[in-house]
Amino acid sequence: MNLQNKKVLVVGSGKSGIGAVRMLGKLGALPVLFDSNEKLDKEELLKKTGKIPGMEILLGSVPKERKKEFFLVVISPGVPVDAPWLSDYRALNIPIWGEIELAGAYAKGKVIGITGTNGKTTTTTLTGQIMAAYYESVYVVGNIGNPYTDIALDTREDTVTVAEISSFQLETIHEFRPAVSAILNITPDHLNRHHTMERYVRTKEKIAKNQKKNDVCILNYEDAYTKDFGDRCPAEVVFFSSKRELPEGIFLKGEDIYLAEAGRKESRRLMNIHEMKLVGMCNVENVMAAIAISKAMGVPEDIILKTIRDFRAVEHRIEFVATKGGVDYYNDSKGTNPDAAIQGIRAMTKPTVLIGGGYDKESSYDEWIEAFEGKVKAFVLIGQTKEKIAACARAHNVQNIIMADTFEEAFGICVSQAKPGDAVLLSPACASCGKDWSLVIVAVRRFGNSQRRREREAQESFFDYTLLFIVLFLLAFGLVMLYSASAYDASLHYEGDSTYFLRRQVGATALGIAAMIVVANIPYHFWERFAVMGVAVSIGLIFLIIPFGYEANGAKRWLRIFGISIQPAEVAKLAVILFLASLICRLGRKVRSWKGFCVVLFVPAIIAVLVWQITENMSSAIIILGIAVLMLFVACPDYKRFIFLGIAGAGVAALAVYVIVQMSQSENAAAVGVRGARILAWLDPEAYASGKG
């Protein structure tokens, strides 16, 4: 659709509306931002949208005579599609879109659309992290809080966009087509908006309405609505199940997640649920959905499973916050309907003090109360629904029901009611009805901050004993090699003491091990600040070789500082390791591109050339490049790229050796130098047994 110089009415001045206005401005449209709240400050709205040629702001109402001016109407998710005033635009045959339809019409690449009553945010966030671990260009947008319209025009053909899409957003889609869609579950919610359960279900199903047979739709086999939709879905259906084995799909068997694939007689075990940092059966289902989505997107299995193992709960969704006084505190404020709150209480394994209540969405609370199953030792209620929930709880014989007027008061009651070994769970089963909810979150987080800081520092200073063993083994092996190579010379020059060099090296090794232990127990973030400085110092020391270096064994590679001899090349090796570790972390997935790859190699390549040319230390130059390539391989194991580099490097090395050999046999043999002599000695060790560098 060409929107150049077309007037587009954007209804709603929240994140979605502002994002739509900015996108329309980039497309050359003439956006008119409308909000029924006439008390809003136009200047503040202009600060959010920025200056857009031809843009207008209307507050309060749209004059009737102006309605026919608009080519398109874009409504925010909070605007009901059956609002009476929208009928005027329908009568004029003006299309009514939402943010998802607008962004989807212009975005490039592949889209993953995720919906469902519960679990959308966790599944979307996890899927986004899995995609980011494999693909270079990834965005996570939609109901999760990032407007799709903010990034739609930045997408490329290789972009993967992961979109959390609510039923409100699905009401206004027309042509939107995700490559992979997922409906996690459908339970009663937002019936004050959709009016009937049937209409709510049909709205959720719209996420797949434009998909084709070559697209994929992920569905929950244990949800009656989504299972039924599987027979009518236009896309290829992949089911997941938490209760039974499936002939095809992802399923839970005992405490293990399995994959059953077409053409394979037996299913394959993927992981144990206790390998995850998430808790609760709802999160097991979220993980299975994320696996199915990621497999459909072609992400390798090892990347999927590693990301899941590292993934922590989304804030406010059965999120462990802290342990204080022997009491575990959980934040499930995303549990804003009874079904979501059921998942929250089911995840608890200890006697629980529960906070519930909030804004009334005309829900029924019987199933939620029944799910308590004796776990709830105190039930603290707040908000508009507290009396309604209390009556339901009493009907189910729930004891110790306590009313509170504010969230802060409710949290204080929970702290006093909970004893060591208990849990406190914030899971309202209703929408939040007041800004004071943040007070509870702040209070719980205050408990958790110091503990999480201690845990993080403990992880950063954690000593890797496997790595320690490998280092000690290599040091011991090196000492044996050193003694073997130096014993004869030591006996000749140090009065028959064959262990002279060995003893010196053992002393240096002991100092090195002590330094390693100290350094390993200091959080790595401390060392990161010295990354650039280390490179600068090492380069400076290499250049100091020119005026101040002294020669040993035919090569000028040593400096004497305060009576101590050092090789700048050895300092450079440590500096390169520290610098590359910091740079690779900063670049993240950009390392996967050739540009990022070359950026990482640039600094070590420069240092290697300086080491080779100034200090005539070819072996150290090769080691520095080897360190860089090895670290890049660990960060981005692209075998094709490294095979290409290996072949290219071998070719260059072979050419260099050939040139040196030819030079050594010519009249310019002296030009071979120390570096060439070392290569010739390696090729013919008998001819260069001693004194040849």
Side-chain angles (χ1 to χ4, degrees), residues 330-406:
Y330 289 89
N331 177 12
D332 189 34
S333 56
K334 278 276 188 179
T336 56
N337 60 67
D339 191 67
I342 287 171
Q343 306 302 329
I345 193 62
R346 281 179 178 168
M348 297 298 104
T349 58
K350 299 178 177 181
T352 301
V353 180
L354 174 64
I355 299 180
Y359 174 74
D360 192 356
K361 295 197 289 184
E362 300 178 17
S363 300
S364 170
Y365 303 103
D366 292 275
E367 290 186 24
W368 178 41
I369 306 296
E370 289 169 3
F372 290 2
E373 296 177 349
K375 293 180 185 177
V376 177
K377 62 178 289 185
F379 194 17
V380 184
L381 291 170
I382 48 180
Q384 184 185 39
T385 57
K386 63 183 178 182
E387 296 295 345
K388 180 179 178 180
I389 295 174
C392 184
R394 293 189 188 100
H396 289 276
N397 297 315
V398 174
Q399 306 298 317
N400 199 16
I401 300 170
I402 306 169
M403 303 293 192
D405 293 325
T406 66

Side-chain angles (χ1 to χ4, degrees), residues 184-203:
L184 305 177
N185 46 62
I186 304 177
T187 58
D189 196 19
H190 301 302
L191 297 186
N192 55 336
R193 165 82 169 247
H194 299 292
H195 307 302
T196 68
M197 189 63 191
E198 182 182 8
R199 184 173 172 184
Y200 177 53
V201 172
R202 294 293 172 262
T203 302

Side-chain angles (χ1 to χ4, degrees), residues 11 13 38 57 67 101 117 122 159 199 214 252 272 277 287 311 362 382 409-410 412 429 439 555 561 571 604 609 682:
V11 182
S13 61
E38 56 189 12
I57 296 177
K67 291 182 178 180
E101 185 71 17
T117 306
T122 297
T159 294
R199 184 173 172 184
N214 58 335
L252 182 67
N272 186 277
K277 293 181 173 70
V287 165
F311 182 75
E362 300 178 17
I382 48 180
E409 179 190 356
L439 297 173
I561 300 175
V571 177
V609 169
W682 177 73

Side-chain angles (χ1 to χ4, degrees), residues 351-527:
T352 301
V353 180
L354 174 64
I355 299 180
Y359 174 74
D360 192 356
K361 295 197 289 184
E362 300 178 17
S363 300
S364 170
Y365 303 103
D366 292 275
E367 290 186 24
W368 178 41
I369 306 296
E370 289 169 3
F372 290 2
E373 296 177 349
K375 293 180 185 177
V376 177
K377 62 178 289 185
F379 194 17
V380 184
L381 291 170
I382 48 180
Q384 184 185 39
T385 57
K386 63 183 178 182
E387 296 295 345
K388 180 179 178 180
I389 295 174
C392 184
R394 293 189 188 100
H396 289 276
N397 297 315
V398 174
Q399 306 298 317
N400 199 16
I401 300 170
I402 306 169
M403 303 293 192
D405 293 325
T406 66
F407 292 110
E408 192 173 33
E409 179 190 356
F411 184 67
I413 293 169
C414 289
V415 173
S416 65
Q417 289 283 322
K419 306 300 179 189
D422 292 347
V424 171
L425 173 65
L426 313 174
S427 188
C430 306
S432 171
C433 65
K435 63 182 180 180
D436 289 335
W437 181 255
S438 61
L439 297 173
V440 181
I441 306 304
V442 169
V444 178
R445 292 206 171 284
R446 203 169 284 156
F447 279 170
N449 284 342
S450 59
Q451 176 166 319
R452 287 188 172 182
R453 185 166 54 251
R454 287 193 299 272
E455 289 175 355
R456 185 171 65 250
E457 289 176 354
Q459 289 173 350
E460 290 177 353
S461 61
F462 173 72
F463 210 86
D464 189 331
Y465 288 98
T466 302
L467 184 60
L468 175 63
F469 172 79
I470 294 171
V471 170
L472 293 177
F473 173 79
L474 291 174
L475 287 172
F477 184 76
L479 289 172
V480 171
M481 296 292 290
L482 180 137
Y483 180 66
S484 173
S486 66
Y488 179 72
D489 275 355
S491 296
L492 286 178
H493 297 98
Y494 295 96
E495 300 176 353
D497 184 2
S498 64
T499 63
Y500 177 79
F501 291 112
L502 176 65
R503 285 186 284 106
R504 291 182 62 181
Q505 193 65 28
V506 167
T509 300
L511 288 174
I513 291 172
M516 179 184 69
I517 292 172
V518 171
V519 169
N521 280 281
I522 297 174
Y524 66 86
H525 289 301
F526 173 81
W527 300 110

